[in-house]
Amino acid sequence: MLRLNDTVEAESAAIIHPAETEEGVEVAFTPPEAGRSLGYGASVACCPPLQTLTPFHVHNPTMQAKVKDYFVFRPGTIEQAVSDIRTVALPSEDGEVLSVWLLAEIDHWNNEKERLVLITDRSLLVCKYDFLNLLCQQVVRISLNAVDTISVGEFEFPPKSLNKRDGYGIRVQWDKLPRASFINRWNPWSTEMPYATLAEHPMAHADEKVASLCQPVHVQARLKFAREHLDDPEEDWENVIWDQDDCSVKERMNGAMYREILSDNLLPSARALKMKRGWVFQHDNDPKHTARATKEWLRKKHFKVLEWPSQSPDLNPIENLWRELKVHVAQRQPQNITALEEICMEEWAKIPATLDNFRTQLVQAVKKAHKEHPIPGRANGVLILEKPLLIETYLGIMSFINNEAKLGYSITRGKIGF
């Protein structure tokens, strides 16, 4: 959308020639009156002088646009970071790495800080990782047998807070330390806090592969798909069989194998699911699925196939789970097919919501550490609480400034980040 700085009479006309610039769009524009005053004919109304159409700021609130703000979502970055960060764990001190998480740490002044968090056999490692230069800059090591309280709840602020954070987090406290001192509480740079507060990363549900692969032509196809199905009733979607590709295959699948799987499973699945007459089959644009032989096989069987836009795995609800499964399986680095199958089954059983899954694994690891590595002379055990997480310093002018903004992320030029 463009705003014209110069007003023109309703009956006037002008010809504009856009030229893309980094700041917006510039056009050569001359009102007809200017041409007449200079003695020119109407045919030269498009010539200089050059004036500018000032663009409105265009805001794209979609997840695809937001994900590009974060360097962590450059292709291959998170895989490289996870590989690097695993070397931080010391086998003699931390034991085996159980899982790696991309989370946000919320400090005592409500600043968000992007963190890679490792749960190991004996430690919780909170790592500040530079996703621009692919370097680990700082590690906070918390011994799991020293953790005494894990609190889960929504964020809470003093009544005088002018701007409050939504959502919930997990607070890990250790060494049964009392409340932080007045000086430490009101020092924004203090690191002497007896707890760490963790929440989901803002892009926790984004898919970096979708963000990097989805080009304008794919965006248009997805938009067309959405408009065509916008008003479809819920019962129509209940009559769709979604391809899951979850068969155990010992070798690379080809078109013939895929058609054999469909032959053995598609109709029995439709009967088992009690699909209504006219049910629809969905699969994506994998070459096995779009091969001429596969299309002909589906046509001869009179199966109706849902047309699917390219580069749109996230439109299929099951793909969100497949991605989560792949990430956790890769972290455990299976060495053979048998181990891969076992790990897939174990990790699949662990998948609830992301932060809930982190909490579950953390609590299990803490309990195990208390049991196997107790601290002499101290009562062992961990208290699990569900209560609001108070951020008491976020009030008055500080909450008005809104220091909850993305001050702790490796994000793109023009935004604050570290």
Side-chain angles (χ1 to χ4, degrees), residues 67-261:
V67 76
K68 294 178 181 177
D69 288 344
Y70 297 82
F71 277 91
V72 65
F73 287 105
R74 291 183 301 181
T77 298
I78 188 65
E79 290 84 355
Q80 178 66 45
V82 170
S83 176
D84 292 344
I85 212 72
R86 293 176 75 91
T87 63
V88 171
L90 305 175
S92 59
E93 187 170 348
D94 304 309
E96 180 185 352
V97 176
L98 303 178
S99 57
V100 183
W101 303 82
L102 177 64
L103 298 173
E105 182 179 10
I106 313 299
D107 72 7
H108 60 296
W109 276 57
N110 201 32
N111 292 312
E112 293 183 3
K113 301 179 180 181
E114 190 171 50
R115 295 292 183 257
L116 280 174
V117 180
L118 286 74
I119 300 177
T120 74
D121 286 331
R122 297 192 290 275
S123 302
L124 179 69
L125 305 176
V126 183
C127 308
K128 177 182 178 180
Y129 191 88
D130 180 355
F131 286 101
L132 283 76
N133 299 307
L134 298 178
L135 295 171
C136 182
Q137 297 181 327
Q138 183 186 56
V139 178
V140 175
R141 174 177 277 106
I142 303 165
S143 297
L144 294 182
N145 59 358
V147 173
D148 57 78
T149 306
I150 298 176
S151 304
V152 181
E154 295 183 348
F155 294 104
E156 184 178 75
F157 299 88
K160 293 183 180 179
S161 292
L162 303 179
N163 184 32
K164 301 179 181 180
R165 173 190 298 277
D166 294 324
Y168 76 106
I170 296 173
R171 179 167 290 172
V172 182
Q173 297 172 253
W174 54 83
D175 286 338
K176 299 184 178 180
L177 294 174
R179 183 186 184 197
S181 69
F182 178 86
I183 294 176
N184 283 326
R185 289 201 312 275
W186 288 93
N187 177 2
W189 299 279
S190 173
T191 58
E192 302 300 319
M193 305 302 292
Y195 60 80
T197 304
L198 301 167
E200 281 193 340
H201 190 282
M203 296 292 105
H205 304 290
D207 189 328
E208 71 276 13
K209 291 187 173 66
V210 172
S212 61
L213 293 176
C214 202
Q215 302 301 319
V217 63
H218 304 130
V219 173
Q220 292 302 316
R222 289 158 65 99
L223 183 59
K224 179 175 179 288
F225 177 88
R227 285 172 173 164
E228 288 176 350
H229 296 283
L230 180 63
D231 298 320
D232 288 0
E234 184 176 335
E235 50 267 26
D236 283 5
W237 293 108
E238 292 174 352
N239 213 33
V240 176
I241 293 182
W242 301 86
D243 170 43
Q244 298 184 14
D245 281 351
D246 61 347
C247 307
S248 178
V249 179
K250 304 291 184 182
E251 55 188 294
R252 183 179 293 275
M253 190 187 299
N254 56 31
M257 294 172 65
Y258 180 66
R259 292 189 293 276
E260 183 179 348
I261 291 171

